Amino acid sequence: MTKRLTIALVALAMFVLVAAMPVSADLFNGYYRVAPTINAGATVFIGEQGLDITGALSAHPGVNTIGWWASAADIQATSPTVSFDLTNRATQFTVTQAEFDGYEGEWYQVNPATSHAFVPSAFNVKAPKLDVSIRDPAQNDGADVSGKSIPQGSQIQFQIGTNMYTVLSDVTKRSPVYNNAGSGPNSDGYIDLVVKTESGTVLQKLYDINNTQQSIVALNVTTQPYTWGRANAGRGPGIDYVWNTAALTPTGEKAYPAGTYVVSVQSKLNNMKDNYLSGAAAYTGRTVSETKTITLVSDTVSITANKDSVVRTKPFSVTITGKPSAFYNVWVKNTVNMNINDYDNAPPVVTKFQEQVVDGSNITYVYQYQNGGGTKTVGDIAFGQESVIFNDPNSVYSYARIKLSTSGSRTVEFSTTHNTKAQKYTIRVETNNGPSYALGDFKGDEVDVKVEKGAVTVVAAGDQSYYLGEEIKLSGTNTESSTTYLFVIGPNLPEKGGVLTEPKTDVTPVPPAAFWNSVKADVLADNTWSYKWGTSNIDLDAGTYTIYAVSQPYDKTPTLLAKAAYGTVSIIIKKPFVSATASQSTVAKGDRVYLTGTAEGQPHSVAVWILGKNFAVRAEETVNSDSTFKYEIKQEVTKTLYSGQYFVVVQHPMQNDVFDIDSPGLGVTTGDVYVYNYALGEATGINDISIFKIQGAGSLQGSDAAEALVQGINDPNVDDTYTKLQFLVEEPIITIDSIGDRHVGDKFTINAKTNLAVDDEILVQVYSSSFKPTQKSQSGEFSGATGTIKVTKGETGMNQLTFDVDSSTFKPDEYIVTEDAVIQQATGTALFNVLEGAAPTTNTTTVVTTFVPTTVVTTVPTTVPPTPTPTKSPGYGALIALIGLGAVAFIVVRRH
């Protein structure tokens, strides 16, 4: 036998020996070999190696090509999207990442004759998925506490999520399956839990509550989800074991010191962790999970308050931090002798109906607190009964048994009232983890909260002086209660306070606050409040009043005010009034007239009565926010008025904003119309009491009507007030002042007087009296001026008009001036002459009489102007000028 033949025979013998050995989950070169024999229809995962898929290909012997078709493809009518030849690979098959990643799903043997698929499939390829979470079975039967802090002593399990459980779930498709954990023969473990301590040590076993070591590697995960330590193949609900974080080492040290532990899970199924990579690293989410953490902290409890101090009637809260889902006792210390109904002697109490604040009927507290001697319970030192009924809104307690959340915290709110005593309170949390009081393992903590008295303030907007009828804004702060109660005191009001909206009615301080009969204002989150007090319909006289703002529904009784916080503000109430003026005392027909004035007290409107000969009008005019009003008597009204005196009465409705004297038919209907006194009718019970006729046969006119109206408003039953004024209506006139003679080139002003209103427009025309139609062959140019001017205020009772004239382009002639009102019917006219040449100088006569007479005599004839040869007849003014000059010459000659 040759050496080469000997080597071949030895190799063959080794192959037969290996093939005959049973396949198990033994750790094989750093990975677990699990169920490597693949039958038709089995699921394999990307990264698995060493699989024997001959059984999966046995349906079509000799067909070694497998293919994958896209989801929409017809596998028996089209060629595969991807295909591989498995010749010489079937007994040691690897689901490679390069070939199968991205092509998950069913793979079929490919018919060599048609390139179509043989059905059913050979096997199904999937990408592995892997996740882990940390669970506390004491919290809601397994709450997820990943990433949280838990006290030492908590009992922990791990939940694994994966799709690889199918490797072991169907023994007909993959084999051999032993259904045993571990990595030895006849085992199926393929997933490791990795628990790494803060120092970097990787643990492979964990102590349970019996100090038994439980393996966390080579787990045969056969369910989804799978929970380490659970019965029923990891699904529960039974609990087989846990990680006891309070376990001790044989020497008595804590096996798991406080710190952060990093937990992950990895699959070593048939070497997939090394074969299926993300780049050069392990593939997170596929063959290794994301890491989770759990932080072990000392088993303590702590309590903190959301504020150091609180104003009574406001709540405060405390937050307890301790063991997740554990029960703790919380109470306000040393309140047992307090009474919830005694002013300044009530304790803070637990707010009703809070989550996980023990809520049930007849819950009895028998918790024996630390240093209580083993005989006293919480009920002995905290306000309330020992039997607590938290679902009864009428029961109040200063203590409770609470359950922390899965994250190990709970916030508990305490309420305070106006009766809560202003002092410092100590809130304690405690639990006893020991088997008895004597062997107690007490955990507790305390926090102090100070309850303080609050205060109430009140201010009135403005200068604290108001007209009856105005709206007064009251505002302030209230740190004592959630509602501010208001009442008023003052002259002729109830001694202990009157209702703000009905001041002469007594305030009724009857608890509960729902029976408060005066006004109140809600306190906002920023402790402010406000109320708008409308005084238009309240029975108050002018005077000084004081507004009380109180934290409780109490009146001015001293013993009641002593139990509340309050503030006051004093105000002055004045009677409203009205004033008015007319824009002019004399009105030309066709001119508008404005009646303007002030109506204090914020009425919506005033009534304007205008009374004259055969004329009566009543109108209402809105009052502006600044108490002013303006009423216009329009031009179309004044042009129809008779000349004469007119009377105006402006009526103020006073604080009730109702006109007690009115004439609803005036100006609306024809025939007889009366003025009514509605206040008198209300007082006597007789409707529509008329006081005089204002329209129709026999009606009062002018001053008589005005006097009757004023007397009606003066009736004691009427609260209205008034002011009166008058104006004259005249025919419109324009009177032009004398102009006198002017010379060509003069600049002068034409003045006129008028009773028209200021700013009325006037058309002024100045034109030659000889300006008239001419023959076409004659010269007919215009000589004069025209323009529109406005009436200005005069100083003598009449208004004035001024029109400036430049006569440099005028011809010597007689001129006519007309001034016509643009809107009104008024015209003024005048005449003046324009002379040729410049006006004579004023020093000629002086020169003649001052110097030697002979000189003057010899020169006189030469100074007399020659008579001009007229081109046309001069005007009347020019002739007078010539006669005057001749007379002067004659007198001079006579004297010399």
Side-chain angles (χ1 to χ4, degrees):
M1 183 181 296
T2 65
K3 182 178 181 180
R4 181 175 298 177
L5 180 59
T6 301
I7 293 174
L9 290 174
V10 171
L12 179 61
M14 290 293 294
F15 176 77
V16 171
L17 181 61
V18 171
M21 290 177 63
V23 179
S24 70
D26 286 333
L27 191 62
F28 187 84
N29 293 329
Y31 63 89
Y32 302 123
R33 286 182 54 80
V34 176
T37 302
I38 308 301
N39 298 316
T43 298
V44 297
F45 294 89
I46 299 174
E48 285 193 84
Q49 75 179 51
L51 302 182
D52 182 354
I53 62 171
T54 54
L57 304 178
S58 62
H60 304 281
V63 177
N64 294 321
T65 300
I66 59 172
W68 177 89
W69 278 258
S71 60
D74 185 348
I75 63 175
Q76 292 186 303
T78 61
S79 298
T81 305
V82 178
S83 61
F84 301 113
D85 185 355
L86 301 184
T87 302
N88 298 325
R89 293 178 59 184
T91 57
Q92 287 294 320
F93 179 66
T94 299
V95 189
T96 65
Q97 183 174 0
E99 292 175 315
F100 293 95
D101 200 11
Y103 301 105
E104 296 182 63
E106 302 290 344
W107 284 77
Y108 302 86
Q109 289 177 280
V110 179
N111 188 331
T114 63
S115 296
H116 302 160
F118 283 125
V119 293
S121 65
F123 51 81
N124 183 22
V125 174
K126 287 186 178 181
K129 296 179 181 179
L130 200 55
D131 189 27
V132 68
S133 59
I134 306 167
R135 302 282 172 163
D136 184 348
Q139 300 187 51
N140 301 327
D141 196 32
D144 188 350
V145 293
S146 303
K148 298 180 180 180
S149 296
I150 59 174
Q152 289 175 312
S154 297
Q155 299 176 6
I156 298 301
Q157 293 180 327
F158 304 97
Q159 188 173 91
I160 299 171
T162 182
N163 60 351
M164 289 179 275
Y165 71 96
T166 58
V167 170
L168 305 176
S169 64
D170 191 343
V171 297
T172 64
K173 295 181 178 180
R174 293 190 63 151
S175 61
V177 175
Y178 301 105
N179 282 322
N180 291 316
S183 58
N186 301 325
S187 299
D188 292 325
Y190 64 95
I191 287 181
D192 291 347
L193 273 166
V194 179
V195 177
K196 185 182 296 185
T197 67
E198 207 166 59
S199 63
T201 301
V202 177
L203 306 178
Q204 290 192 321
K205 293 183 179 181
L206 298 173
Y207 285 115
D208 66 10
I209 57 176
N210 298 315
N211 242 31
T212 301
Q213 299 175 9
Q214 300 290 345
S215 175
I216 58 175
V217 298
L219 306 176
N220 63 328
V221 176
T222 58
T223 60
Q224 170 61 25
Y226 171 90
T227 303
W228 177 85
R230 285 278 181 169
N232 302 322
R235 285 179 291 189
I239 298 176
D240 289 346
Y241 47 85
V242 294
W243 173 25
N244 179 21
T245 61
L248 301 177
T249 66
T251 60
E253 302 295 330
K254 290 185 177 180
Y256 307 106
T260 299
Y261 291 76
V262 178
V263 178
S264 63
V265 65
Q266 62 183 0
S267 172
K268 294 183 178 180
L269 176 64
N270 296 319
N271 207 28
M272 65 162 50
K273 182 173 177 289
D274 291 336
N275 293 331
Y276 194 15
L277 302 173
S278 176
Y283 205 147
T284 301
R286 299 297 191 186
T287 61
V288 297
S289 69
E290 292 184 354
T291 58
K292 304 293 176 69
T293 62
I294 191 73
T295 301
L296 297 183
V297 296
S298 298
D299 183 9
T300 59
V301 62
S302 65
I303 184 172
T304 58
N306 68 329
K307 53 188 70 175
D308 295 329
S309 63
V310 63
V311 176
R312 61 183 176 189
T313 74
K314 301 296 189 295
F316 67 90
S317 63
V318 294
T319 298
I320 294 92
T321 303
K323 184 179 293 187
S325 300
F327 286 90
Y328 290 88
N329 301 284
V330 180
W331 69 92
V332 184
K333 295 175 67 175
N334 302 320
T335 60
V336 67
N337 293 320
M338 289 184 164
N339 191 318
I340 195 70
N341 296 314
D342 290 348
Y343 175 73
D344 206 30
N345 192 38
V349 295
V350 179
T351 303
K352 290 291 180 182
F353 312 121
Q354 298 182 66
E355 181 185 15
Q356 294 301 335
V357 174
V358 176
D359 187 6
S361 62
N362 206 25
I363 302 298
T364 300
Y365 273 70
V366 294
Y367 174 73
Q368 297 176 346
Y369 58 89
Q370 189 176 16
N371 299 323
T375 59
K376 295 182 178 180
T377 64
V378 167
D380 295 326
I381 62 170
F383 173 81
Q385 303 296 321
E386 187 172 302
S387 180
V388 180
I389 308 174
F390 272 100
N391 62 1
D392 180 1
N394 297 317
S395 300
V396 287
Y397 310 96
S398 289
Y399 56 93
R401 184 168 182 258
I402 67 169
K403 182 181 181 182
L404 300 194
S405 68
T406 57
S407 61
S409 68
R410 177 70 58 200
T411 296
V412 181
E413 183 183 84
F414 286 82
S415 301
T416 65
T417 70
H418 71 283
N419 283 339
T420 303
K421 187 173 183 179
Q423 66 173 35
K424 183 178 72 173
Y425 292 91
T426 298
I427 295 87
R428 179 167 179 80
V429 59
E430 187 180 292
T431 187
N432 181 3
N433 295 325
S436 65
Y437 179 84
L439 299 176
D441 180 17
F442 291 97
K443 309 290 183 182
D445 193 19
E446 296 179 351
V447 66
D448 291 337
V449 176
K450 185 178 182 181
V451 176
E452 300 174 332
K453 290 183 179 181
V456 176
T457 64
V458 56
V459 295
D463 59 0
Q464 281 69 58
S465 180
Y466 311 92
Y467 289 99
L468 196 58
E470 287 189 63
E471 185 179 76
I472 304 173
K473 182 178 180 180
L474 304 170
S475 62
T477 59
N478 183 351
T479 58
E480 176 78 1
S481 67
S482 59
T483 304
T484 301
Y485 300 87
L486 303 168
F487 63 85
V488 59
I489 63 170
N492 300 318
L493 298 185
E495 179 182 357
K496 295 180 181 179
V499 175
L500 218 60
T501 52
E502 297 178 7
K504 294 183 179 180
T505 301
D506 286 281
V507 167
T508 306
V510 180
F515 292 98
W516 177 253
N517 64 336
S518 187
V519 300
K520 56 188 177 182
D522 291 332
V523 179
L524 305 181
D526 61 354
N527 296 322
T528 62
W529 63 269
S530 64
Y531 178 79
K532 291 182 178 179
W533 183 27
T535 62
S536 61
N537 287 295
I538 62 174
D539 186 12
L540 277 181
D541 298 322
T544 301
Y545 296 87
T546 300
I547 312 298
Y548 276 72
V550 191
S551 62
Q552 295 299 318
Y554 297 152
D555 63 11
K556 193 172 174 288
T557 303
T559 55
L560 292 178
L561 283 183
K563 298 180 181 181
Y566 66 93
T568 64
V569 62
S570 294
I571 62 172
I572 297 173
I573 296 293
K574 301 178 292 185
K575 288 287 186 181
F577 71 90
V578 61
S579 63
T581 58
S583 58
Q584 54 203 74
S585 59
T586 301
V587 181
K589 289 184 179 181
D591 260 345
R592 63 176 61 87
V593 184
Y594 291 103
L595 304 175
T596 58
T598 300
E600 297 290 355
Q602 297 181 347
H604 286 93
S605 61
V606 292
V608 180
W609 302 75
I610 304 172
L611 306 169
K613 184 178 180 181
N614 293 324
F615 184 83
V617 168
R618 180 192 180 278
E620 291 187 18
E621 184 61 41
T622 301
V623 178
N624 300 319
S625 59
D626 61 355
S627 299
T628 62
F629 64 88
K630 185 176 184 180
Y631 177 76
E632 178 185 1
I633 307 175
K634 299 184 180 296
Q635 293 169 318
E636 56 265 28
V637 174
T638 63
K639 71 170 53 176
T640 65
L641 298 179
Y642 288 105
S643 298
Q645 189 176 29
Y646 287 80
F647 300 89
V648 178
V649 176
V650 181
Q651 180 185 359
H652 188 305
M654 295 298 281
Q655 64 269 19
N656 63 356
D657 210 19
V658 175
F659 295 105
D660 295 330
I661 303 297
D662 201 352
S663 181
L666 185 60
V668 178
T669 62
T670 59
D672 295 343
V673 176
Y674 292 86
V675 175
Y676 295 93
N677 186 330
Y678 292 108
L680 181 60
E682 183 179 348
T684 60
I686 303 173
N687 295 328
D688 300 336
I689 295 180
S690 62
I691 54 178
F692 70 93
K693 184 189 286 187
I694 196 170
Q695 179 178 296
S699 61
L700 298 182
Q701 301 287 311
S703 62
D704 293 336
E707 180 64 21
L709 176 63
V710 167
Q711 291 303 320
I713 299 176
N714 285 332
D715 188 299
N717 294 290
V718 175
D719 68 347
D720 296 0
T721 189
Y722 65 92
T723 187
K724 57 184 180 178
L725 59 148
Q726 59 187 15
F727 60 87
L728 292 175
V729 174
E730 297 179 343
E731 295 294 334
I733 59 172
I734 298 176
T735 303
I736 303 175
D737 294 349
S738 176
I739 303 172
D741 291 341
R742 302 292 176 175
H743 291 79
V744 175
D746 283 354
K747 295 181 179 179
F748 56 94
T749 299
I750 298 173
N751 296 305
K753 295 181 179 62
T754 183
N755 62 354
L756 294 175
V758 173
D759 288 335
D760 282 354
E761 291 190 338
I762 307 298
L763 175 63
V764 180
Q765 298 183 83
V766 181
Y767 57 91
S768 170
S769 65
S770 61
F771 182 68
K772 58 186 177 180
T774 60
Q775 299 295 324
K776 291 184 178 181
S777 60
Q778 295 176 326
S779 173
E781 67 273 12
F782 172 77
S783 179
T786 186
T788 300
I789 60 175
K790 289 188 176 183
V791 178
T792 59
K793 182 68 176 177
E795 298 178 356
T796 60
M798 295 286 283
N799 292 328
Q800 63 184 19
L801 297 166
T802 58
F803 183 74
D804 295 328
V805 178
D806 182 355
S807 65
S808 59
T809 61
F810 285 24
K811 298 182 299 181
D813 200 351
E814 180 184 64
Y815 284 80
I816 300 171
V817 179
T818 64
E819 297 191 359
D820 295 309
V822 174
I823 296 178
Q824 299 83 357
Q825 297 295 322
T827 301
T829 61
L831 296 173
F832 72 95
N833 292 311
V834 175
L835 307 179
E836 186 173 8
T841 60
T842 59
N843 61 355
T844 301
T845 303
T846 303
V847 173
V848 171
T849 58
T850 302
F851 294 98
V852 180
T854 56
T855 304
V856 175
V857 171
T858 59
T859 60
V860 165
T862 63
T863 60
V864 177
T867 301
T869 303
T871 58
K872 61 181 286 185
S873 297
Y876 178 76
L879 180 60
I880 294 298
L882 289 175
I883 293 173
L885 288 174
V888 172
F890 175 75
I891 292 170
V892 172
V893 171
R894 283 285 305 270
R895 291 181 64 184
H896 296 281

